[in-house]
Amino acid sequence: MHVRQLAKMLGVSPDTVRYYTRIGLLDPQKSIENGYKFYSPNEQNRLRFILSARDLGFSVDDIKQIFHKADEGESPCPTVRRLIDNRLHETEQRFQDTMRLRARMHTAVENWGDKPDKKPSGNVICHLIDEFTKTPE
């Protein structure tokens, strides 16, 4: 299967297939006749796996680790469990950070609603931001 066929089958762009090939996660065979890359059923399965792993939040480096274990004939499952735990922790932290930012934004919207517009002066560019103080977290 060629790049465009594989991309269409899996609902991704050909550039996505080329990207994962370029970084070494896919290793298609090259046709001697025309130089086109051919993706075997094994490579198709690897791309399906990559897309599923990315949907779960695994990074490209994570997927490389998983493939390394699998390609060595070892079970990648312990690595997958460790990595997903790390990704979940990172996601939880980003979520908490986003919730704190959301709360600050709500406070700003409430505080700025009735304040007048002012022109820049001296060192003040926008008094709304310059006078805004973070609420305790």
Side-chain angles (χ1 to χ4, degrees), residues 1-12 17 20-21 25-29 37-52 67:
M1 186 172 288
H2 298 289
V3 170
R4 290 194 182 281
Q5 294 168 313
L6 180 57
K8 185 176 181 180
M9 180 180 82
L10 295 179
V12 297
V17 177
Y20 290 124
T21 301
L25 290 178
L26 298 175
D27 187 22
Q29 297 174 0
K37 293 179 180 166
F38 179 80
Y39 293 84
S40 68
N42 184 52
E43 294 305 309
Q44 295 167 33
N45 288 333
R46 284 176 74 98
L47 181 55
R48 265 191 210 92
F49 179 87
I50 292 166
L51 297 173
S52 295
F67 278 166

Side-chain angles (χ1 to χ4, degrees), residues 89-135:
H89 177 73
E90 292 167 0
T91 300
E92 289 288 345
Q93 186 61 52
R94 280 193 310 273
F95 177 73
Q96 294 302 320
D97 293 345
T98 300
M99 293 301 292
R100 283 189 288 277
L101 174 59
R102 180 178 179 260
R104 287 193 307 272
M105 293 169 96
H106 274 290
T107 301
V109 167
E110 290 170 12
N111 290 345
W112 296 347
D114 58 354
K115 290 193 176 194
D117 295 343
K118 293 182 182 178
K119 293 182 179 183
S121 65
N123 292 330
V124 176
I125 295 169
C126 176
H127 78 99
L128 299 175
I129 293 174
D130 288 338
E131 296 171 3
F132 187 76
T133 56
K134 267 178 133 178
T135 56

